[in-house]
Amino acid sequence: METTEYYERRAIARHPEPTDEWVERVLAHPYHTERQPDGRVRYYGFIEEEGKWLRVILAEGKLHNRFFDRGKLREWGRP
């Protein structure tokens, strides 16, 4: 998948835990999606192996960020 410059320079270093496999899984079968005011799209999926929600953000169709989302875990619990 194509990535943004931010993803390459900052996101990977700040959040090294999520794997490419998990990102692909969330994008293929999201539990929930949201459009941000700036046009980016958030995809959420529960990663059973970690017991955490993964948020994946696309900007203009490119992978922009991915990280474990603590807020949605509290709000949604486990699927």
Side-chain angles (χ1 to χ4, degrees):
M1 166 168 261
E2 213 174 336
T3 60
T4 64
E5 186 176 328
Y6 174 84
Y7 180 81
E8 294 296 328
R9 291 184 179 214
R10 308 287 297 278
I12 295 172
R14 293 180 75 180
H15 308 285
E17 307 86 13
T19 67
D20 291 340
E21 176 191 348
W22 294 340
V23 169
E24 291 172 13
R25 190 186 316 169
V26 169
L27 291 174
H29 304 286
Y31 178 84
H32 181 75
T33 60
E34 296 176 355
R35 183 165 298 276
Q36 297 180 181
D38 62 7
R40 295 176 184 160
V41 181
R42 298 176 186 166
Y43 296 83
Y44 295 91
F46 191 76
I47 305 302
E48 193 67 41
E49 299 94 301
E50 295 292 315
K52 298 177 182 179
W53 288 97
L54 181 63
R55 182 192 302 188
V56 178
I57 301 172
L58 298 186
E60 298 177 5
K62 298 177 185 177
L63 182 57
H64 183 70
N65 206 347
R66 83 281 186 271
F67 54 89
F68 289 114
D69 190 292
R70 294 182 188 151
K72 294 301 178 189
L73 179 60
R74 285 191 292 270
E75 181 181 329
W76 292 340
R78 296 173 79 100

